[in-house]
Amino acid sequence: MSDVIKLLPDNIANQIAAGEVIQRPASVVKELVENAIDAGSTRIDINIKDAGRTLIQVVDNGKGMSAADATLCFERHATSKVRTADDLFALSTKGFRGEALASIAAIAHVEMRTKEKDASTGSSVTIEGSSIQNQEEIVCPTGTSFSVKNLFYNVPARRNFLKKDSTEFRHIQDEFDRICLAHPDIEFSLTHNENEIYKLPSEILRKRIAQLLGKKSNELLVPIQEETDIVKVTGFVVKPEASRKTRGDQYFFVNNRYFKSPYFNHAISKAFDGLIQSKSYPGYFIYLEVDPAKIDVNVHPTKTEIKFEEDKFIYAILYSSVKQALGKYNIVPTLDFEAETSFEVPAHIRKQPPVEPQIHVNPDYNPFEEFKKESLGSSRSHGVKSTRSTAISAAGFGSSGSSQEWQDFYNIEDEKAQENETIFEHSETLPENYLLNGSHILFNSEKGLKIVNWRRAIERIVYDDISQKFVSQPLSSQKLLFPYDVEASRKECALWMENTSILKQMGFEGSVDGEKIILEAIPAVLQEESINGAMESVLESLNNDQLEKGDLAHYILSSISSAAGLCQHNLSTKDAVHELLNQLQHCEDSNFTPRNKKISSYLSLRSIQDLFI
Ligand code: ADP
Ligand code: MG
């Protein structure tokens, strides 16, 4: 048999390697920016065209490269960061494999310009499909600039596999967020199709988080701080009330490198146990500092998984430091007892000063007269009271044991049985339902006391109504008298612009100006005081990139209905309450809201009795 094994030509080997390292435009951004950081840059500008299909440009002011390095850097396994095997165990740089530039050059047209600080001239290198097209001496500023054009031009399968521009750009933004959060001291900018999306000056961490996630995030951050021999933990967790329905804001960094860890995530979620709803995710920005010899970043080519030698210990430290921080900022009790109500009460009511209850005094009231009438009465309910008074007065407290005392004991037992009946006897004469604390309707039912959360009932009724209408026509919208500004992060603003068509069909109209959305029209079912709540929930839905278009519509519709539930409603008349309950009964699912929250519940007679044991 003849020999069949041949070494792959370099350009093919590089293309194969590229398959692993460069999955999409965002991977190029990540690799180039990480190189710029490793080169000690203090300012990095990123310029993208068509979500990276046409151009990815990264310009830094780092240490630059010599003329020889300017071509060598494109060779596979060409790196200045690892010299010996031992270096692998003490990595302080982002890159170390020497694969990224070789991979990028294999699957795109690349132009690079670079100059070292003390050199008078720099070099320009053009490379396409791993072969150098041109190299020359040029005059350029200190630092390095990469332009990557026509990504995957020679790998059609990859190029066709790319998602729509908005999705690919979102991946770029996600990488950008992670890098910016890992390096708040570096100045960054991100431009897409000539629009500057971010311009971030060098900042302290807290401000960097707020720059990226919107100003309002600043007041929601709770600092954490813990230092042991093995690990130093710093960063922030997001207050439980702002936790999201999506995994959005969960960031772990170790030695300023972003990583994912379901195991450590579990520690944080456990610390939040009982403080957030089961379907919400806590937000966090957690920074670990660990001896580089005790972690292995070599597990995955894109390096978002990291192995920790002392992971169990770190788990315990994370759990306790988050728990402690939540306790220290007094978050635990507020949430346990107030979360639900403070959420349910609409802002306009919460802001009103409390009204003192009025006390009416009847000057003619004579308690003894009443008692006389009662003890003479013949009905069973009145009889209960007289039995009790007789029992107590006849036996007296602490009087010496007598047969009378035992008899009284049984009398009291009897009383209990009679009380049961009394409730029902009374109920016939009471109004049919009650509005409890403005938020719940109570009424008798076969199963016991039925409690309906009427805001949730409205949420279900509105959802059924608008989702039915939405199938055939856009939802009716109301123009606002004055435009209404809603603060949002740049990313949220971009998502808003991207989805204007579906939002318009839902009744929302508005433009974007910097870090705010200026609303001009809202769905007709909403009132102005519910705009913030609705918008928060709509933006959260837009942020969830796991949602298909159909799901997104459902999420936005349920955001609208939930906000409609929090609007002002007049339920002061019996008819209004009846009408509401009647509409609820005709809903597709009268037991749960579109977001799967219970609308009504029962207190069985048994559990009510248990309250009085
Ligand atoms: P790695 O980062 O794993 O070393 P890369 O292929 O990403 O491998 O880069 C190869 C080498 O090119 C780096 O080790 C570094 O010496 C040099 N290099 C790449 N980008 C820059 C840059 N922006 N500034 C200075 N040197 C760079
Ligand atoms: Mg690199």
Side-chain angles (χ1 to χ4, degrees):
M1 243 181 126
S2 58
D3 296 337
V4 286
I5 297 180
K6 289 211 171 67
L7 282 180
L8 286 174
D10 264 1
N11 59 335
I12 304 213
N14 285 340
Q15 263 193 32
I16 294 171
E20 252 198 303
V21 185
I22 308 298
Q23 282 139 3
R24 52 182 7 133
S27 332
V28 176
V29 174
K30 172 177 188 279
E31 294 296 338
L32 294 181
V33 176
E34 285 190 351
N35 280 345
I37 293 169
D38 286 345
S41 312
T42 55
R43 178 183 171 157
I44 301 171
D45 295 302
I46 304 161
N47 181 17
I48 308 287
K49 287 223 169 86
D50 304 321
R53 269 175 231 270
T54 321
L55 173 73
I56 296 168
Q57 186 180 44
V58 175
V59 182
D60 71 47
N61 65 354
K63 66 178 181 214
M65 280 181 263
S66 67
D69 281 356
T71 48
L72 195 58
C73 68
F74 292 106
E75 295 287 325
R76 198 135 64 97
H77 306 308
T79 178
S80 55
K81 300 166 194 173
V82 174
R83 297 251 175 269
T84 67
D86 282 349
D87 291 348
L88 270 182
F89 301 104
L91 285 169
S92 59
T93 54
K94 306 262 171 212
F96 58 89
R97 290 166 187 260
E99 261 176 354
L101 292 184
S103 301
I104 296 169
I107 47 155
H109 297 163
V110 181
E111 277 170 39
M112 183 190 71
R113 298 162 152 250
T114 186
K115 184 181 92 67
E116 290 181 299
K117 191 166 163 235
D118 298 324
S120 51
T121 55
S123 323
S124 141
V125 175
T126 312
I127 182 166
E128 287 176 12
S130 298
S131 73
I132 294 187
Q133 307 291 314
N134 184 39
Q135 178 179 20
E136 58 186 340
E137 201 179 334
I138 53 156
V139 175
C140 63
T142 299
T144 306
S145 129
F146 275 94
S147 295
V148 176
K149 296 180 182 162
N150 309 322
L151 188 64
F152 299 131
Y153 78 101
N154 52 356
V155 199
R158 272 281 154 145
R159 196 170 173 89
N160 297 337
F161 192 69
L162 289 178
K163 298 268 168 32
K164 58 181 196 294
D165 276 11
S166 55
T167 310
E168 291 301 339
F169 188 67
R170 203 169 313 146
H171 283 286
I172 292 178
Q173 259 186 310
D174 286 345
E175 288 297 350
F176 180 82
D177 287 353
R178 293 165 185 175
I179 296 167
C180 294
L181 287 168
H183 297 277
D185 49 329
I186 299 178
E187 211 178 318
F188 287 98
S189 77
L190 174 65
T191 304
H192 187 208
N193 295 338
E194 316 289 329
N195 294 325
E196 191 174 74
I197 312 279
Y198 288 106
K199 184 164 181 57
L200 310 175
S202 158
E203 266 307 352
I204 54 164
L205 178 62
R206 197 178 181 124
K207 283 207 177 147
R208 173 61 54 93
I209 296 175
Q211 284 168 349
L212 283 169
L213 303 178
K215 287 177 202 105
K216 60 184 176 206
S217 59
N218 187 27
E219 64 216 49
L220 297 172
L221 298 176
V222 179
I224 54 171
Q225 174 95 41
E226 189 70 73
E227 193 162 357
T228 71
D229 290 346
I230 289 168
V231 62
K232 182 174 168 199
V233 184
T234 52
F236 300 91
V237 287
V238 178
K239 284 186 185 166
E241 65 261 39
S243 60
R244 298 205 170 209
K245 302 280 180 306
T246 58
R247 286 188 183 274
D249 304 329
Q250 301 190 324
Y251 297 89
F252 281 122
F253 301 89
V254 58
N255 304 344
N256 293 333
R257 182 196 293 276
Y258 170 82
F259 71 101
K260 286 185 180 151
S261 167
Y263 181 57
F264 291 164
N265 176 61
H266 187 265
I268 315 285
S269 305
K270 216 172 94 183
F272 272 83
D273 242 7
L275 297 179
I276 56 176
Q277 285 169 4
S278 61
K279 286 198 182 107
S280 300
Y281 299 97
Y284 53 80
F285 306 83
I286 291 179
Y287 296 72
L288 308 178
E289 278 172 49
V290 181
D291 175 0
K294 300 208 161 166
I295 56 174
D296 182 2
V297 289
N298 216 352
V299 190
H300 195 268
T302 56
K303 301 177 292 257
T304 52
E305 280 162 41
I306 289 181
K307 265 208 275 200
F308 289 79
E309 211 173 283
E310 325 240 19
D311 56 353
K312 289 207 176 61
F313 179 81
I314 298 175
Y315 180 101
I317 292 289
L318 277 175
Y319 171 73
S320 70
S321 51
V322 172
K323 191 106 190 151
Q324 201 186 11
L326 292 173
K328 196 156 139 198
Y329 288 85
N330 213 6
I331 281 156
V332 182
T334 355
L335 265 139
D336 271 356
F337 302 109
E338 283 173 19
E340 183 74 341
T341 25
S342 60
F343 186 73
E344 296 271 289
V345 179
H348 71 278
I349 293 178
R350 250 183 281 153
K351 280 182 201 139
Q352 281 172 10
V355 182
E356 246 180 72
Q358 287 183 351
I359 302 169
H360 300 282
V361 180
N362 173 7
D364 303 326
Y365 179 70
N366 177 353
F368 300 104
E369 209 171 336
E370 196 87 338
F371 176 72
K372 242 194 295 173
K373 263 193 245 153
E374 269 186 12
S375 48
L376 292 172
S378 59
S379 87
R380 255 188 305 176
S381 62
H382 288 160
V384 171
K385 273 194 179 165
S386 58
T387 316
R388 178 184 285 142
S389 8
T390 331
I392 293 171
S393 55
F397 289 111
S399 66
S400 59
S402 67
S403 61
Q404 179 64 42
E405 207 171 336
W406 283 108
Q407 203 186 328
D408 293 343
F409 178 79
Y410 287 110
N411 271 346
I412 291 170
E413 276 303 288
D414 262 347
E415 243 183 82
K416 263 192 188 169
Q418 287 175 13
E419 262 173 2
N420 286 346
E421 292 164 44
T422 319
I423 289 171
F424 282 104
E425 218 172 294
H426 266 308
S427 67
E428 280 162 24
T429 58
L430 289 174
E432 222 168 298
N433 44 49
Y434 285 106
L435 216 48
L436 176 70
N437 202 12
S439 62
H440 294 81
I441 303 167
L442 309 186
F443 56 95
N444 258 320
S445 81
E446 276 169 22
K447 286 203 228 166
L449 183 65
K450 184 166 181 177
I451 308 167
V452 176
N453 180 321
W454 63 260
R455 295 197 178 277
R456 290 189 182 172
I458 289 180
E459 190 176 336
R460 166 50 76 189
I461 295 166
V462 171
Y463 178 83
D464 279 21
D465 180 46
I466 61 178
S467 57
Q468 213 175 28
K469 286 185 183 145
F470 180 69
V471 180
S472 52
Q473 70 205 55
L475 296 186
S476 42
S477 174
Q478 51 173 324
K479 281 255 173 285
L480 294 170
L481 212 52
F482 301 102
Y484 189 100
D485 290 358
V486 179
E487 259 185 40
S489 69
R490 296 246 173 195
K491 187 173 169 189
E492 288 168 337
C493 290
L495 287 166
W496 179 270
M497 291 310 290
E498 214 176 276
N499 289 287
T500 40
S501 143
I502 188 167
L503 288 163
K504 197 168 174 192
Q505 289 177 55
M506 302 271 180
F508 286 106
E509 277 178 55
S511 53
V512 161
D513 177 15
E515 286 191 5
K516 54 183 189 215
I517 295 165
I518 305 167
L519 277 181
E520 278 130 32
I522 57 170
V525 287
L526 295 183
Q527 290 162 8
E528 229 176 285
E529 77 263 12
S530 60
I531 294 182
N532 283 338
M535 283 295 286
E536 196 172 312
S537 170
V538 167
L539 292 174
E540 194 171 302
S541 311
L542 295 177
N543 241 319
N544 185 347
D545 52 7
Q546 271 134 40
L547 294 182
E548 295 297 323
K549 271 267 176 287
D551 285 341
L552 180 65
H554 157 78
Y555 269 68
I556 300 180
L557 288 169
S558 42
S559 304
I560 297 172
S561 8
S562 159
L566 294 178
C567 290
Q568 230 172 342
H569 294 276
N570 184 2
L571 286 182
S572 60
T573 66
K574 206 165 137 185
D575 284 351
V577 174
H578 265 186
E579 174 61 21
L580 178 86
L581 296 175
N582 188 28
Q583 284 184 16
L584 179 65
Q585 230 172 17
H586 287 94
C587 283
E588 201 179 306
D589 181 349
S590 58
N591 295 318
F592 291 93
T593 68
R595 295 180 180 190
N596 253 343
K597 288 196 183 150
K598 247 195 211 172
I599 295 175
S600 50
S601 209
Y602 293 91
L603 258 184
S604 66
L605 193 54
R606 172 106 228 173
S607 50
I608 296 174
Q609 279 167 353
D610 287 349
L611 295 176
F612 299 96
I613 287 175

